[in-house]
Amino acid sequence: TSWSTGDTAFGPVHTNDKFNIDGTPVFTKKATAFMSAVPKRNYAAWNGGYEWGIHIPYPTDLDPFVTAATSAQGKAVGSDTYLTFNADGSIRIRVPGEGTDSVVSSSVNLAHNGAFAVIGGDLYLQGTLSGNLAVGAVSQSGTGGNVFITGDITYNDDPCVNPSSGDKLGIYAEKNITVTYDPTNPAAYVNRKVDASIFSLTGVFQVQDAKTGPPRGTLTTFGAMMQYYRGEIGNTISGVLRSGYSKRFGYDERLSSSPPLYYPSAGRYTLYAWREGA
């Protein structure tokens, strides 16, 4: 995938590969990469400057998050789980494999230490979060480890309006994190939003069917993002979005002094986007 006309990154960006530039994307903060962007196609607006030849070791595990979730103060589930964050602060937890469907009154009552993990299954997420949580999925015996974002995820107390907001979400996956799409109802998937700090240990952050169907507008994220490979978000040709989404990736400035719970550290600075070599 490429950074294309109409794409914007509002935070520091790094890749351990190179930036593929198609058109005139905008990078508002410093960009770094291991290899240089292709000079003849490099028409990006590097408003914060750029530096090539930088390699940053990628985190190798999710151990702190898994340890927290499996502790007495955390919460771990053993099969596919659906979480819905409700506007009143409650959270619906549905585990079809266990035949359970319940509601807890707050994020603290979901997991006292803020860590909720699906181990051996996949996690499905949507809604409006109140509180400070880290949620994710890891595999067991090769099963599970993916996260699916099935609807918008937003903060109840918007930190863009209130910088003192305590709402914060980390989404962690051993494998892929996918923004879903249903081609039978395309109108429901226009201009998606994800407020969260996203981390994929071995996979990508991607959009389902990013290269098929009609253009869907803009995918806006607000937080931080680390992915092992760069996932497909949309397909832009000659500056025109043909399918999937344009990128509007925003950085949550709160994270520089207060990182998400159990977020893997790269040991350098808070990164917005990442791609390990293919």
Side-chain angles (χ1 to χ4, degrees):
T1 189
S2 300
W3 287 91
S4 306
T5 300
D7 294 342
T8 306
F10 293 89
V13 186
H14 175 78
T15 172
N16 277 346
D17 195 87
K18 66 175 179 294
F19 290 104
N20 294 317
I21 304 300
D22 179 18
T24 56
V26 177
F27 299 86
T28 66
K29 299 290 181 70
K30 186 174 181 178
T32 57
F34 182 60
M35 295 186 288
S36 63
V38 178
K40 291 183 179 180
R41 298 182 62 188
N42 185 2
Y43 300 107
W46 307 97
N47 293 345
Y50 60 81
E51 184 178 359
W52 312 140
I54 304 298
H55 184 278
I56 302 174
Y58 196 79
T60 57
D61 60 61
L62 282 166
D63 290 353
F65 166 64
V66 173
T67 297
T70 54
S71 72
Q73 296 298 308
K75 176 72 173 177
V77 178
S79 62
D80 291 358
T81 300
Y82 296 74
L83 290 183
T84 301
F85 305 122
N86 298 318
D88 65 358
S90 65
I91 301 173
R92 181 185 179 189
I93 314 160
R94 187 163 63 90
V95 188
E98 297 180 359
T100 61
D101 189 344
S102 60
V103 176
V104 295
S105 61
S106 68
S107 59
V108 172
N109 288 326
L110 177 70
H112 291 297
N113 64 3
F116 178 94
V118 178
I119 300 176
D122 296 326
L123 176 62
Y124 299 77
L125 295 170
Q126 64 176 345
T128 300
L129 175 71
S130 297
N132 189 4
L133 275 179
V135 301
V138 296
S139 67
Q140 189 170 65
S141 301
T143 300
N146 299 288
V147 174
F148 296 91
I149 298 173
T150 57
D152 286 353
I153 297 177
T154 58
Y155 292 137
N156 183 57
D157 187 3
D158 186 352
C160 294
V161 177
N162 175 22
S164 298
S165 169
D167 295 344
K168 198 177 297 178
L169 178 64
I171 300 176
Y172 311 143
E174 179 183 330
K175 298 178 182 176
N176 298 324
I177 300 172
T178 302
V179 176
T180 63
Y181 176 65
D182 180 358
T184 66
N185 186 21
Y189 294 86
V190 174
N191 295 332
R192 299 289 297 277
K193 190 173 194 299
V194 180
D195 288 345
S197 296
I198 294 164
F199 175 82
S200 167
L201 181 63
T202 63
V204 300
F205 174 66
Q206 64 185 355
V207 167
Q208 183 179 350
D209 297 336
K211 289 192 171 183
T212 62
R216 300 168 220 170
T218 302
L219 173 62
T220 300
T221 66
F222 183 75
M225 185 187 302
M226 295 174 71
Q227 53 182 322
Y228 192 74
Y229 296 103
R230 187 188 301 118
E232 297 287 352
I233 303 299
N235 184 27
T236 299
I237 301 175
S238 299
V240 178
L241 181 66
R242 306 293 183 177
S243 62
Y245 299 97
S246 294
K247 310 177 192 75
R248 185 178 176 86
F249 288 174
Y251 176 63
D252 187 344
E253 297 287 351
R254 300 177 300 166
L255 305 181
S256 59
S257 59
S258 178
L261 293 173
Y262 316 111
Y263 199 78
S265 172
R268 178 160 176 159
Y269 49 73
T270 302
L271 299 171
Y272 181 71
W274 192 300
R275 179 181 185 254
E276 185 69 8

